Amino acid sequence: MGAISAGRLDRAALVALLFGLVGIGYRLFLVLNTVPVGNSDEATFGLAALHIAQGREHPVFLYGQHYMGMLQSYLAAPLIAVTGPNWPVLRLPVLALYALFLWLIHRLARRIGSPWFATLVVGLLALGSERVIRDQVTTVGGRPEVKVAVLVMLLVVLGSARGSVRHRRLAVGGFGLLAGLALWSDWLIVPYLAAAGLALVWAIRRELLGGAGLLLVAGCTVGIAPMIYDNLVAPPGKDSLSVLRSISGGSGAVPSWPRRLDGGLLEGVPLASGLCPVTGCARWQEWFGLLYPLLLAVAAVLAVRAYRRAGGRSERVVPVVHLALVAGAALTLLSYVRSPLAATDPLGNARYLSVLQLSLPAVLWPLWQAAVAGWRGTVGVAGRLAGALATAVLAALAVTSLVVTLLFATVGAAPGRREERQARVLAATVRAAGLREVYGEYWTCNRLVFNTAEEVVCGVLDDDLTPGLNRYPAYWTRLARAARPGYVLATGTPADRRLRELLGEQRDAALLAEVGGYRVYHPATPPRPWR
């Protein structure tokens, strides 16, 4: 995966290639079986891909919001144009981004570490719990493509400092383009973009005062142009900054720092690292969350020492990249634990830490160095003890990740497969009943629309049967014109109970089917209490 010796891959690269193929094959199997199960958020990206393919829409951000770029939908649009709405096809571009991520991080880890260390990094990243897999293969925007962008940017920094980039100005322009695209796709990557940008300034600061600097600005402007345009025409309070500020601020009382540290560090980091099942971390699994800040600090100290000892720019660029990765992780983690989201829902929000995978080479490098020194016996008693401890930590990471991966692959994926089958049966039932306009809850609607290829459209209702979050207004408009729409509601939910209350004695006559935990209604006079 990037290292050639005498015309062939060396042994470390061959093992890394094997690990990478296993990781890709594992994810391809899950993608083909729609695991993890799809939901309405992902379906919205799929519907946007369908609209792009048909030339109906050209969205900048996810329908109904102003902060998640639609690059994944544009990548999926050509495939959706050929096959129609299809979960595996929707996810194939994201899987390709994961494969590219593995290849790039292997190249980076070899350049700032060693061949076998890069193999270890690829091996760990080939594994994947449900939380990790969900971030790597589902089309929910942002994270897969921005990680690829940052890796390419850091490789440009390395090549520029070492003089191995042939067309440096074009590479710098590409750096800017990727930075702009990443910023449009997902603002979570800002700490890494800032760190990579500072590393580039350090590497070629004189050249940035001339044509290279102009190309950098031009590339960034082109990449971020969709976001600039959308924010210029957005209504007051609907620009990206306002929306993000309202989301990150949360509502109600601000959780205490201990709660945020507990949710952000002790649960968030292990979850994002693939050391826990999606249901949460047991106390014994939280050790990596405690260790992570210490590893960042040690990595920063070692990088500074290496920088001081290095003789020239071509040598100093390695610790500079290490520092960029450490800074990106530290700022990301700090931003997350400052937010109430870390405490209010650590299981659901751990996805915001998935970008920490970028820093794995920097975080694990001190452990690898200590372990190798201990194996080789080139250090004293204290060094050998440190090497044994580092080896134990690396082994614990690998074994825990492997066990959690195997549990998900063999047992944890089964409920999702059942839910996906039920969702398809539900779509077929609604279609067979002749319903073409229905009301439903948020997590039902767009998923149903995607599963029926827009043969059925759905308007979102809240628990009290008032209008909910309708991301694509055209569906709600069509429902408003429908003379006799149906209702598809999860059995026993507040919305289901409210509908049955409004239907009164007609509730049993209006019930067409019960399937997969849902009830399908088609009342003669549909209740619309908001009118």
Side-chain angles (χ1 to χ4, degrees):
M1 293 179 64
I4 299 179
S5 177
R8 296 181 299 176
L9 293 175
D10 59 36
R11 186 175 299 177
L14 282 172
V15 177
L17 177 62
L18 177 62
F19 285 159
L21 291 175
V22 169
I24 295 167
Y26 165 50
R27 286 158 178 78
L28 178 61
F29 173 80
L30 296 176
V31 163
L32 294 177
N33 286 275
T34 317
V35 176
V37 66
N39 59 34
S40 280
D41 279 348
E42 187 176 12
T44 304
F45 280 90
L47 292 168
L50 177 65
H51 300 161
I52 293 166
Q54 295 172 341
R56 293 162 50 188
E57 304 280 358
H58 296 91
V60 172
F61 292 114
L62 180 63
Y63 293 147
Q65 62 190 48
H66 292 270
Y67 63 91
M68 182 66 73
M70 299 296 284
L71 184 59
Q72 291 180 15
S73 292
Y74 282 95
L75 292 175
L79 301 178
I80 295 293
V82 175
T83 66
N86 180 294
W87 291 105
V89 167
L90 176 63
R91 293 176 175 183
L92 283 179
V94 184
L95 178 62
L97 288 170
Y98 165 76
L100 185 56
F101 166 73
L102 274 190
W103 178 65
L104 290 168
I105 204 166
H106 177 263
R107 291 177 66 89
L108 183 69
R110 279 187 75 109
R111 283 159 174 73
I112 66 172
S114 68
W116 283 108
F117 173 67
T119 300
L120 170 69
V121 170
V122 171
L124 290 173
L125 291 172
L127 301 171
S129 65
E130 182 175 356
R131 173 71 272 156
V132 171
I133 293 294
R134 185 172 291 280
D135 291 326
Q136 291 175 340
V137 303
T138 57
T139 305
V140 290
R143 292 173 288 279
E145 60 266 37
V146 298
K147 289 188 289 187
V148 167
V150 169
L151 290 173
V152 174
M153 291 162 68
L154 291 175
L155 287 169
V156 169
V157 171
L158 277 167
S160 298
R162 290 175 170 174
S164 59
V165 176
R166 292 182 180 179
H167 305 287
R168 187 177 296 183
R169 288 189 176 185
L170 291 179
V172 171
F175 185 106
L177 178 64
L178 289 172
L181 287 172
L183 192 57
W184 165 45
S185 291
D186 195 338
W187 281 46
L188 289 175
I189 204 63
V190 166
Y192 283 95
L193 296 182
L198 289 174
L200 182 70
V201 171
W202 173 88
I204 56 168
R205 50 186 174 273
R206 291 182 180 177
E207 294 179 43
L208 291 178
L209 297 176
L214 292 176
L215 286 174
L216 177 68
V217 173
C220 186
T221 302
V222 171
I224 205 174
M227 186 172 75
I228 294 174
Y229 169 77
D230 188 87
N231 279 271
L232 288 175
V233 300
K238 295 298 183 181
D239 59 282
S240 299
L241 281 175
S242 298
V243 173
L244 281 171
R245 193 179 298 115
S246 66
I247 293 174
S248 61
S251 58
V254 177
S256 64
W257 269 104
R259 283 188 59 200
R260 282 181 278 170
L261 288 172
D262 182 75
L265 275 179
L266 300 186
E267 271 207 284
V269 171
L271 274 167
S273 303
L275 302 177
C276 307
V278 74
T279 52
C281 299
R283 280 299 174 187
W284 68 269
Q285 292 172 307
E286 296 177 350
W287 63 271
F288 191 61
L290 283 172
L291 185 60
Y292 196 85
L294 178 60
L295 289 175
L296 286 177
V298 172
V301 170
L302 292 179
V304 171
R305 289 177 59 187
Y307 182 88
R308 290 176 175 175
R309 291 175 179 175
R313 189 172 300 274
S314 61
E315 292 183 11
R316 285 183 166 179
V317 69
V318 169
V320 165
V321 170
H322 273 278
L323 286 171
L325 292 174
V326 169
L331 291 172
T332 297
L333 199 53
L334 178 62
S335 175
Y336 181 63
V337 297
R338 286 183 69 250
S339 168
L341 298 175
T344 54
D345 185 13
L347 299 184
N349 295 325
R351 65 187 185 274
Y352 297 129
L353 295 177
S354 67
V355 293
L356 294 181
Q357 291 174 352
L358 285 166
S359 295
L360 199 61
V363 171
L364 298 186
W365 180 240
L367 294 173
W368 178 265
Q369 284 184 303
V372 170
W375 301 338
R376 291 175 177 172
T378 57
V379 290
V381 174
R384 287 196 293 271
L385 287 175
L389 181 60
T391 300
V393 171
L394 291 173
L397 278 173
V399 171
T400 305
S401 297
L402 179 60
V403 170
V404 174
T405 298
L406 291 175
L407 286 174
F408 171 59
T410 56
V411 179
R417 287 198 292 266
R418 286 195 298 271
E419 183 183 340
E420 184 59 34
R421 287 194 295 269
Q422 291 171 350
R424 293 177 182 178
V425 171
L426 174 64
T429 301
V430 173
R431 235 181 334 215
L435 296 175
R436 293 299 178 263
E437 295 89 16
V438 300
Y439 289 106
E441 295 141 306
Y442 178 81
W443 294 111
T444 302
C445 266
N446 279 5
R447 185 179 179 188
L448 176 63
V449 177
F450 187 77
N451 280 336
T452 61
E454 286 193 313
E455 290 183 32
V456 178
V457 299
C458 185
V460 178
L461 298 176
D462 283 336
D463 290 345
D464 55 358
L465 296 192
T466 56
L469 176 57
N470 285 277
R471 291 192 176 275
Y472 192 56
Y475 296 155
W476 184 261
T477 301
R478 179 170 160 184
L479 262 294
R481 295 196 298 262
R484 192 187 169 196
Y487 295 78
V488 180
L489 302 171
T491 302
T493 58
D496 180 45
R497 294 195 298 269
R498 176 60 175 154
L499 178 65
R500 294 178 70 82
E501 176 187 334
L502 292 174
L503 289 174
E505 295 180 356
Q506 301 300 315
R507 57 180 175 266
D508 292 331
L511 181 63
L512 295 183
E514 292 192 58
V515 54
Y518 287 86
R519 286 174 175 159
V520 182
Y521 299 91
H522 195 204
T525 304
R528 285 163 166 160
W530 62 91
R531 288 188 171 180

